[in-house]
Each structure stands twice: as C-alpha cells, then as structure tokens.
Amino acid sequence: MNTNQSKLVEPVKPSEAPEAAIAMIDAEGTVVGWTQAAQQLVGYSARDVVGRSAAHVLGPTDDAARAASLDEECRAQGGWSGTMTVRHRDGHTLTLTLRVSLLWGENGSHRWLVSVTDIGALSSGAVNGLLRESLLTHAPIGIVVRDPQLRCTWVNDAMEHHDGIPRDRRFGRRLKDSLPGFEAEALEVVMRQVLESGATMVHEYRAWPPADRRRERVFSASFFCLEDADGTALGVCSTSVDVTGNRRARERLAILSEASTRIGSTLDVMQTGQELAALTVPLLADHALVDLVESVPFGVEPSTPIGTTSGRTPLLRRAGLATIDPHVPELPWVREEVIHVHPASPFAHVLRTGRSHLVPVLDMDAHLGPWVHHDPARAQKVRDSGVHSLMVVPIRARRCVLGLALFSRSEEPKPFQEDDLLLAEELVTRAALCLDNALQYARERAAALTLQRDLLPHRVRGGAAVEVASRYVPADMDHGVGGDWFDVIELSGARVALVVGDVVGHGINAAATMGRLRTAVRTLADLDLPPDELLAHLDDTVRRLNEEIEEDTNEPDQGPTVVGATCLYAVYDPVTRRCTMARAGHPPPAIIDPQGHVTFPDMPAGAPLGLGLGVLAFESVELELPEGSVLAFYTDGLVESRDDDLDVGMGRLGAALAQSSRSLEDLCSEVVETLPARTHSDDVTLLLARTRALQAARVASWDLPNEPAAVRTARRLVSRQLSTWGMKHLKATVELIVSELVTNAIRYGGGPVRLRLIQHQVLTCEVSDTSTSHPRPRHPSAFDENGRGLVLIAHLSRRWGSRSASDGKVVWAEQDLPPTAAAR
C-alpha cells in the first residue's frame, strides 16, 4: 500500500486501546515490576506486591492452588492464556483475562509478563473493542522490556517474527539499531513520555523485515511503565501486534469513501475517467492512465462482449491521466489522444478476456515485448519514467469492456501486491458503474434529442406576414433534453400563427409529449380558432392525456407522471398589422418597435395547460404593430436560473433584443450568447418574427348587397381586379369560385356580404357574411339539386376553409400563383 495513503487514515488514539494491567514476575514467581493500571485494577500498589509472590494477589486458597498448577503449565508450554477470578483488595471479586508470556534475557535467563484485563467491568461496546485484544491469545504478540535508557533487557520469541531480528542482537541496544531513524525517534519520544507520566500510550509504526525490505508491515504498540516497590520507573514494556491488515482495511475504506464523492460527479464519461485517474494518484499509484474504447466518449458502448476472440483490437482514447510529478518525462500518450493497442500486448489480452493483469516487478522486454518493439520511442519514455510495477484493470459493464485503467509505480519502491489489485478493481468497478450510467443516459438523451429535433420544424417560414429566425439549445448533460417546442403555421388570408411551448420535465417522455402537443396545435390552428379558444382546446387535450396516464399506471404506490405544459399562441395579420395573442402560464413575449424600444406587454398569464379550467382560463389581447416590429417568443430557460431572479433574466433579454437593427439570425445568436457561461438546467428556445405589412395595392375588397344580382357584380369586380394584377389566366377559375361563395353567402347567410382578394404567395379569395354556421361539404346523389358547390370549390382551389369572425364567418379559397407573381 502506498505510504501516501496515511493522510486518509485517522491516527490511533490512546483511548482506543484496552487499559490492560501489566505485571512482571521472575523465574521464582516473585513480582518484580508493577504498573499503575494494575494498581487501578486490583487495588494493590507497587509497594504492596513488588518483592512478594504473585500468589499473594490471588487471595483465596483454591485460587492459590490453581496458581501453582498454572505455574507448571506456563513452564511446560512457554506461556498461558485464559480467565481467572481474583479478589480485589477491598474484597469484591473480579473476572479477569490473563495472558502469561515468557521473556528471555541475557545468558538464557527468563521472566514472565502477565497482561490482565477486567472484562466484567467493561461496557458492551468496550467488549467489542476488546475482541481485538482477545486475538492476542491466538496471534503472536511481540514483547520488549527496556531500561530507563531505553535499552533492551527482556524480549519474547514472537518479536523476532515481527521484524526478523534475533534476540541476541537486541540486548543492550536501542531502537535505532533495528528501525529507520524517523520511526525509532517517534517511538522513543512516546516511551519517554510513558516513563515520565506512568500512563499507558499507544502508537502505530512501520517496519521492514530484513528478509524482504520491500514488504512494509504496520504494528500497533502499547507502552506501559514498570515500577518497583517505591514507585520508581524500572523501565518501559512494549507489546506489539501486527495490524497491517487492519491498517490496509482502514486505508481501503478511506479511499473508497473518497471515491464515492470524487468519481462520477458528472455524466461526462471523459471527466469520469479523469476523476478515476486523479483519485488513485498518489493514494494507490504514482501514475494512472484511463483509456476508453473510442466509441464510449460518443455515447456508444462497445458491441464486442467479453471473451470474443474474433475481430480486431478496438482503438482506445485516453480519458484520464495523473502523475505524482508533472516534471517527470512525458508519458507515452496525452489526454484525448487515440491509442492503437498492439494485439499481442497484455493490454489487448485484458480487453479480450476482461481479466486484470498484475506485474509486481516489471521487465519491459519480458512483459511488454511486442509493444516495446512495435513502438520503441514511446517505450523509451516508459523506461525514463522509472516504472517498475504495473497493474492493468479492465473497465467492465454488462459483459462489455469499456476500456482499461493502468496503474504504475516509479517513486514508491514497493511493488503492487494482490491487495493493491483488489483495491484497484473496486475503484474501477465504481467508475465503471458511473460510466455505464453515463452511457445509458447519453443513449436516452441522444434518442430524446433526435426525437425532439425531428418533431421540431426544420425550416420555419413566415410567408408574406413575417420574417422568422429561431434557436433551440438543449439542456446540459446532467439535466437532459426538455420538452420545448416552437412553430410557425401559415394560415389563410396571408396570416401566420406563432407558437412556443414548454412541457414540464426532461427526457424522452417530455420530448414525446411535446410532439403530441405540437401536432394538436397544428390541428387546432387549421380550424382557425382564436388564440384563447385554441388554448382552451389544447388544455382539454392535456387533461385527457393525464387521464390516460392515470388509467395506464399499474403501480398503486407510484403516482402517475402528470403532464404539464405552458404555451403562447399568437396570430398576426399583415393586412391589418394586428396581432392577437393569448398565453397559458407562459412567459410574455417581448415586442421591439422599429426604433429598438423593448416592451413586455401586460397580458393575462392564463393557467398552465392540463388543469381543465376551460375557455374562461384564457384571454386574448389584440395589438396593432408598426411594420418592422420584432416579436420575441421564448421559453423560461432563457430568462430563469437558480442564481438570478426572473427580473434579472428579463432585463438581460431586453438589453440583448434592443439590437433589433441587426438581422434576425445575428440577433438570435446575440441573445443566446447572453446566457450565463455555466451549464443550463433547462432547454432554451427562442423564436423571433419581424412583422411585414401587405401593400394596399395587393388587397382588394368590396361590400355587396344580399341579393342574387350581387353574384354577377362579384364576378365582374374579380375579373377587373385580376386583369389589373396581370392574372387573366385565373379569371375563369376564380370567377367560378366567387360565384359559388357569394351564392352560398346570400342563400344561407344574412346581412351584407363582403368580398376580398389578397395577393401574397398565393391568391386568396374571401367571402364574409353574418352567419355563424360554417359550410360543410356533402356527397350529393345524382338527383340532388344542391350540395355540389363546395365540392366544385374543393376541386378548383389549392385549399379552402372557413373561420369565425367577430360578426359572422369567413369562407375562403386559395389559388396558386405563377412563380413570378409569387416572388413579387
């Protein structure tokens, strides 16, 4: 484990160690050393017990007899451990755990060290903590006794297993003769504090056995002050336990805890790769590289499953790169570079099999031979970096290898071990989960974005009424595609409908709902309904969608996903230069006059769609606009943010729109560029429309009396006007259409009749009357005298229809114009 990991591990506190009582007994069973902890446990001071037989502490006769048998057992087995009942000095009974260890001195002399703990007085939590201490009855515990000058005087056999130093080489020597200077100095500082205070202290230290200097071991040592009868410090006793596994477990937990917060902070696969590399250096490795299969950064997972032998080795793209020293020689590849993997290299083998590859001691020629000969220049850079140990871990998700993570060491002398590989695999598994989530999200986002772009108009045209431009900016990767939509719908009489809407939510469901609502709006627009009535019908459509969702929801504990939306619908007439609009909970439009003044009209907000409040929930307003005015329709993603108030966004939008003298395309770009540089959590939609006005010479209208003779008059007026416009070739057709329309108005309507011709991209013929009933085509039989007029109109015209007016209705029909006339 890399020594740099220690910054993630909390140091052991003295309070975490069991407060064991220590007594030292000579070969004759006489107590020669006592600790303050022993006095606190059994009540006897050093003056009471030092120089006396150990049996004196046991008290009762039966325990004394047991002590005699215990002495024989200790001599036979070289020690003993178990439980014993001892009477406190004040008379109450204690249940103690004892461990008796044999110590050796110079010239073959020996003594006994007794470690005693009262398990009856410990809380349940302390007993759980004591389990570690109870392991000492099975695991070796190293014991060393030192004099006040910190020279070794007594030691047990287990200590040699800890550091590999024979006991004969210890006597009379200090720690600096067996441990590195910095570790020995730290431990001697602790021991001097114990000698001065008499308190028990705990310290962790590292050692490297002489047989394997690269294999670091971690020990936890408890230090006790031994006192003689008058309380003078005889020396310090240390008991050491190998806690390498515990230390590495704590380090592993600390690193994994770091990984949970530092890996996968975004849904960007390249960023996730860099986060994995950055986390592992220097906690695990000196250098880390993360390479992803080339298709992964583009949201496409590899198609080749683990274990497939056919096919070529995939290309990789470097996603993450981290090193302990940026000044070391440059590593073979840089971030985002495409990497060609040699098919005979261990990297290709890991890609094919999905199994990790550990090289504790790296030999470039032996382990990376094919790659070394294939690319000697880059291989030399690896040699120059001093890499001596290597791990290659596959990044796997759902039986596919998404890439590789490479970990190497150059400055850290220890080679990678199996536990390092296990930790690396755990970290890579967490990163793979984040990458897989990002891939699944990228696929869903791509599908939603494709669906939304297919459903949105690819090319908006405002006909003779308006010049239009638009922008759609999807939300960032973390929030997903939303349900924004816009539309420009050409209506009869040269008019145009401008629509912008926003479905609540993100993802493919929002995009699909958006498509349904856009289709509904287009269908309702063909009925030529006023804006408030159209929104009322759209509101009813959304309400029915919610009812269908509620019926289709099978999980009783999971509430249905309610559809909600806002919408702004406007109709502009270039003949009258009047714009009628209504909104359903949507932000108001911005209107920029030809002089560049920006206003947000005060109009009723209306209720969001889906509440089912009916036509009374919406109210239309009508404005007269100068020619060249710009209407700006947008969604709330353009003006709302988490950091700023709505007024701030509206002010920013107004300032950008004041540059209305620019082309609409440039103005769209200018407005979108005013968005904050940070990623946005909602879609942004902008629709700009610059109004036009039809010249009076392109519109002709007449009032006709409600009498049969008006039909002939209408034909004559139309013939004359078409001649004036140079459209004599349309006379016969238009006269016939006008005859039928005026006849129907006189026969079924009441009051005066109005005839109007509009020349724009098509020729529109309109006949108005005061009746509110709309014509409906029929299929007359061979003997019917009526019902053929509308069939004839449908056959002769490009399209036809009717719409409501304030004082009745309008029936209209269109004719295609020659290319020159349409362009004019």
Side-chain angles (χ1 to χ4, degrees):
M1 190 73 66
N2 197 321
T3 57
N4 291 309
Q5 295 171 6
S6 59
K7 67 181 182 179
L8 290 176
V9 181
E10 294 185 1
V12 175
K13 301 176 182 178
S15 59
E16 293 178 349
E19 188 69 11
I22 298 294
M24 193 170 181
I25 303 172
D26 64 14
E28 287 73 31
T30 302
V31 178
V32 295
W34 197 249
T35 63
Q36 293 181 6
Q39 178 178 348
Q40 295 172 1
L41 179 62
V42 297
Y44 294 98
S45 65
R47 183 184 301 274
D48 297 328
V49 296
V50 173
R52 305 180 66 177
S53 172
H56 173 73
V57 182
L58 298 178
T61 305
D62 55 344
D63 287 339
R66 184 181 177 187
S69 64
L70 178 61
D71 178 71
E72 295 179 2
E73 187 175 348
C74 288
R75 292 178 182 275
Q77 299 181 4
W80 180 88
S81 62
T83 60
M84 179 175 288
T85 301
V86 176
R87 188 175 300 278
H88 191 273
R89 185 175 184 178
D90 62 11
H92 73 273
T93 302
L94 301 173
T95 302
L96 305 178
T97 61
L98 279 75
R99 170 145 185 171
V100 182
S101 302
L102 176 63
L103 304 181
W104 296 100
E106 290 187 285
N107 302 321
S109 59
H110 72 275
R111 285 185 176 180
W112 305 98
L113 190 81
V114 182
S115 173
V116 187
T117 303
D118 180 10
I119 62 173
L122 294 176
S123 64
S124 60
V127 172
N128 292 334
L130 189 62
L131 292 177
R132 181 178 61 184
E133 183 72 9
S134 68
L135 292 176
L136 302 181
T137 61
H138 306 287
I141 172 174
I143 303 174
V144 179
V145 177
R146 299 182 182 276
D147 62 18
Q149 288 72 43
L150 305 183
R151 295 170 298 194
C152 176
T153 56
W154 302 92
V155 65
N156 71 339
D157 292 334
M159 198 64 199
E160 183 176 346
H161 296 291
H162 285 181
D163 53 21
I165 301 175
R167 64 171 181 259
D168 293 339
R169 291 175 50 192
R170 294 180 184 273
F171 297 128
R173 298 182 180 182
R174 293 172 54 178
L175 276 173
K176 63 180 181 180
D177 298 320
S178 57
L179 277 181
F182 67 94
E183 294 288 359
E185 291 176 3
L187 291 175
E188 289 192 350
V189 168
V190 174
M191 287 188 285
R192 290 191 184 97
Q193 293 175 350
V194 170
L195 289 173
E196 294 174 1
S197 64
T200 300
M201 301 187 72
V202 177
H203 187 78
E204 282 192 1
Y205 68 94
R206 294 170 297 167
W208 291 264
D212 187 0
R213 285 296 182 183
R214 288 191 171 189
R215 189 172 182 83
E216 177 189 272
R217 310 299 296 174
V218 181
F219 297 92
S220 178
S222 299
F223 298 92
F224 309 86
C225 179
L226 294 174
E227 299 178 351
D228 61 9
D230 59 2
T232 303
L234 293 175
V236 60
C237 172
S238 67
T239 59
S240 302
V241 183
D242 189 340
V243 295
T244 304
N246 295 341
R247 174 71 174 267
R248 287 179 175 172
R250 294 200 305 272
E251 291 172 342
R252 171 177 291 188
L253 290 175
I255 295 176
L256 293 177
S257 176
E258 286 277 299
S260 64
T261 58
R262 291 176 54 182
I263 297 179
S265 61
T266 69
L267 290 171
D268 184 339
V269 294
M270 296 293 284
Q271 179 64 25
T272 300
Q274 179 59 36
E275 289 170 348
L276 172 61
L279 172 69
T280 55
V281 175
L283 300 182
L284 177 63
D286 295 335
H287 316 285
L289 308 173
V290 179
D291 300 332
L292 300 177
V293 175
E294 192 180 23
S295 63
V296 172
F298 300 99
V300 180
E301 69 179 17
S303 58
T304 304
I306 295 174
T308 302
T309 57
S310 60
R312 64 181 181 85
T313 304
L315 296 177
L316 302 178
R317 185 178 295 272
R318 179 129 302 161
L321 170 64
T323 178
I324 57 172
D325 186 358
H327 303 294
V328 299
E330 183 185 13
L331 293 173
W333 289 277
V334 297
R335 193 162 182 258
E336 298 190 3
E337 183 179 352
V338 175
I339 301 167
H340 298 266
V341 180
H342 194 280
S345 67
F347 312 119
H349 179 72
V350 172
L351 285 173
R352 288 191 300 268
T353 63
R355 294 194 295 269
S356 300
H357 184 68
L358 171 64
V359 184
V361 180
L362 177 64
D363 184 326
M364 291 286 290
D365 293 322
H367 297 106
L368 304 178
W371 175 72
V372 169
H373 301 300
H374 177 72
D375 197 343
R378 295 184 192 265
Q380 186 59 43
K381 291 184 178 180
V382 176
R383 288 192 176 95
D384 294 341
S385 68
V387 171
H388 63 80
S389 189
L390 180 70
M391 293 188 297
V392 185
V393 181
I395 304 174
R396 296 174 297 189
R398 290 184 290 118
R399 294 193 53 79
C400 286
V401 176
L402 305 180
L404 303 174
L406 292 84
F407 306 100
S408 60
R409 286 179 176 173
S410 57
E411 298 296 323
E412 170 61 41
K414 289 196 313 173
F416 287 121
Q417 302 174 21
E418 288 293 336
D419 57 346
D420 295 315
L421 181 61
L422 290 175
L423 176 58
E425 288 177 336
E426 288 187 43
L427 293 174
V428 171
T429 298
R430 296 195 177 204
L433 179 61
C434 297
L435 289 171
D436 189 50
N437 290 338
L439 276 175
Q440 293 188 54
Y441 175 79
R443 287 193 297 272
E444 180 179 341
R445 184 176 188 272
L449 191 57
T450 300
L451 176 62
Q452 187 168 48
R453 285 177 172 167
D454 286 345
L455 293 174
L456 289 175
H458 294 175
R459 181 182 178 186
V460 289
R461 293 176 294 185
V466 292
E467 172 196 357
V468 292
S470 62
R471 289 291 186 276
Y472 167 70
V473 183
D476 59 50
M477 286 289 291
D478 290 335
H479 296 87
V481 178
D484 286 12
W485 91 89
F486 65 92
D487 212 342
V488 180
I489 308 169
E490 295 185 58
L491 303 177
S492 63
R495 298 169 306 131
V496 66
L498 304 168
V499 192
V500 65
D502 186 2
V503 174
V504 175
H506 296 85
I508 197 165
N509 290 333
T513 302
M514 175 274 291
R516 298 177 73 173
L517 295 187
R518 177 172 178 254
T519 301
V521 170
R522 279 193 159 263
T523 302
L524 294 171
D526 285 341
L527 300 178
D528 253 329
L529 298 174
D532 54 343
E533 292 185 28
L534 183 141
L535 291 180
H537 285 284
L538 190 61
D539 175 65
D540 190 55
T541 299
V542 176
R543 182 180 58 81
R544 287 198 300 270
L545 285 176
N546 286 329
E547 291 176 352
E548 293 175 4
I549 292 174
E550 292 177 357
E551 293 176 357
D552 294 340
T553 301
N554 296 323
E555 297 80 358
D557 297 333
Q558 180 179 356
T561 304
V562 177
V563 174
T566 63
C567 184
L568 174 62
Y569 184 82
V571 176
Y572 174 70
D573 188 344
V575 177
T576 62
R577 293 184 290 103
R578 302 192 71 83
C579 181
T580 307
M581 62 183 74
R583 60 183 178 132
H586 202 82
I591 300 177
I592 308 95
D593 66 20
Q595 288 73 41
H597 300 134
V598 181
T599 59
F600 294 91
D602 184 14
M603 55 183 297
L609 300 173
L611 300 182
L613 299 181
V615 71
L616 296 179
F618 313 104
E619 184 177 347
S620 295
V621 297
E622 189 174 71
L623 304 173
E624 184 173 343
L625 303 176
E627 183 179 3
S629 298
V630 175
L631 293 167
F633 301 86
Y634 53 92
T635 54
D636 55 6
L638 186 63
V639 294
E640 289 184 355
S641 69
R642 295 178 179 176
D643 302 326
D644 298 328
D645 293 335
L646 179 61
D647 293 341
V648 175
M650 300 284 280
R652 183 178 63 243
L653 174 61
L657 290 174
Q659 309 294 325
S660 59
S661 58
R662 309 178 65 175
S663 70
L664 290 188
E665 289 293 336
D666 291 342
L667 186 57
C668 273
S669 300
E670 182 74 20
V671 172
V672 171
E673 288 173 1
T674 63
L675 290 171
R678 60 185 179 277
T679 56
H680 42 281
S681 60
D682 199 2
D683 290 9
V684 173
T685 299
L686 176 64
L687 175 64
L688 298 182
R690 178 173 281 127
T691 63
R692 294 168 174 160
L694 279 182
Q695 301 173 4
R698 299 173 64 181
V699 181
S701 62
W702 305 272
D703 292 325
L704 303 174
N706 194 339
E707 57 185 29
V711 176
R712 182 181 300 175
T713 304
R715 292 168 64 104
R716 184 177 67 253
L717 294 172
V718 166
S719 176
R720 185 186 306 163
Q721 187 63 50
L722 291 178
S723 298
T724 303
W725 285 344
M727 302 178 185
K728 295 180 179 180
H729 64 286
L730 294 178
K731 281 185 179 182
T733 302
V734 176
E735 285 179 4
L736 186 53
I737 292 174
V738 167
S739 297
E740 293 295 335
L741 292 179
V742 173
T743 299
N744 286 342
I746 294 172
R747 178 177 298 177
Y748 302 108
V753 176
R754 185 172 183 81
L755 171 64
R756 185 168 73 163
L757 293 181
I758 305 173
Q759 178 194 358
H760 51 110
Q761 292 175 316
V762 295
L763 178 66
T764 301
C765 175
E766 297 180 345
V767 174
S768 307
D769 60 59
T770 57
S771 174
T772 57
S773 61
H774 292 259
R776 293 184 179 179
R778 295 184 296 174
H779 297 282
S781 65
F783 303 101
D784 289 341
E785 296 182 0
N786 300 317
R788 293 182 175 83
L790 293 180
V791 176
L792 181 62
I793 292 174
H795 180 71
L796 295 176
S797 61
R798 177 178 178 266
R799 63 172 187 155
W800 76 278
S802 65
R803 65 177 184 270
S804 298
S806 58
D807 54 353
K809 69 174 181 297
V810 178
V811 184
W812 53 269
E814 292 178 350
Q815 288 289 309
D816 287 319
L817 295 179
T820 55
R824 183 169 62 250

